Amino acid sequence: MSGSSAALQPPADAVKPVRHPDAPAPGELLGAHYGECFGCGGQQPHGLHLQARAGEGVSITAEFTVQPAHQGAPGLAHGGVLATALDETLGSLNWLLRTIAVTGRLETDFVRPVPVGTTLHLEAEVTAVAGRKIYSRATGRVGGPDGPVAVRAEALFIEVKVDHFVEHGREEEILAAMNDPDQIRRARAFEVNP
């Protein structure tokens, strides 16, 4: 992405990202971190139901199909929905770092329209890490993983502690997630950019 803001330029002392040894294996489906997540959750009737897979290094691939509920202009995906797909894909990268992080900044370029019924093929990678800051980028293509670019983004994620969600989330959902009898679902609910 040319012309991104200074906030998205890693500082001189940034380091290359390192895939955590316990990260999901390349090709492994990441699954939803939280059933009610608009981006990846299966319990959201009009959500994106985005499916992400671990890639090589600190990268992932993902896809979602634009539904009628995702329209902005007649027959075309809403730009905010496309930005959400990019944000969800970029947030999923944090699973490969085994880091809890939230979006600090997201800059999106809309290159071409994405019609309803289109599957958006996304790929994302972490480009640098500097302290609590994680720099990443993503592209979304139409017509296949090698098709023309429709959207792209650069992002800055900020590492946080799990207390971030407990302090700022709505109590009803926080308690429900914390009291989930499924230990794995309970832990995952707070792992990825919500």
Side-chain angles (χ1 to χ4, degrees):
M1 230 169 94
S2 60
S4 61
S5 70
L8 292 176
Q9 299 303 313
D13 62 349
V15 297
K16 289 181 80 73
V18 177
R19 184 189 190 101
H20 192 280
D22 296 332
E28 187 175 326
L29 189 64
L30 299 182
H33 70 96
Y34 175 50
E36 294 291 338
C37 175
F38 183 78
C40 66
Q43 296 169 19
Q44 281 288 345
H46 298 298
L48 304 186
H49 302 160
L50 188 130
Q51 299 278 314
R53 290 189 182 277
E56 299 292 332
V58 188
S59 71
I60 65 163
T61 59
E63 57 184 53
F64 95 98
T65 300
V66 179
Q67 302 298 320
H70 303 146
Q71 290 179 84
L76 296 174
H78 190 289
V81 168
L82 297 175
T84 300
L86 288 161
D87 184 50
E88 184 68 30
T89 303
L90 289 157
S92 296
L93 288 165
N94 296 312
W95 289 34
L96 302 180
L97 300 173
R98 296 296 293 251
T99 299
I100 301 171
V102 296
T103 311
R105 186 175 189 96
L106 175 69
E107 290 187 13
T108 306
D109 287 330
F110 301 95
V111 180
R112 68 180 63 237
V114 181
V116 169
T118 299
T119 298
L120 191 65
H121 299 268
L122 298 131
E123 53 186 86
E125 66 176 340
V126 175
T127 57
V129 176
R132 293 176 47 222
K133 295 180 176 182
I134 301 164
Y135 298 85
S136 54
R137 64 179 169 228
T139 57
R141 298 174 181 272
V142 295
D146 298 318
V149 172
V151 290
R152 59 180 169 245
E154 288 190 23
L156 168 63
F157 280 76
I158 309 296
E159 182 179 354
V160 296
K161 303 293 182 210
V162 73
D163 296 353
H164 168 87
F165 305 103
V166 176
E167 292 169 10
H168 300 288
R170 194 169 72 162
E171 186 175 12
E172 179 182 342
E173 283 84 358
I174 295 295
L175 290 175
M178 290 174 72
N179 293 325
D180 190 321
D182 184 315
Q183 182 178 350
I184 294 172
R185 265 198 327 250
R186 186 171 62 239
R188 289 182 75 170
F190 302 101
E191 280 185 353
V192 176
N193 171 50

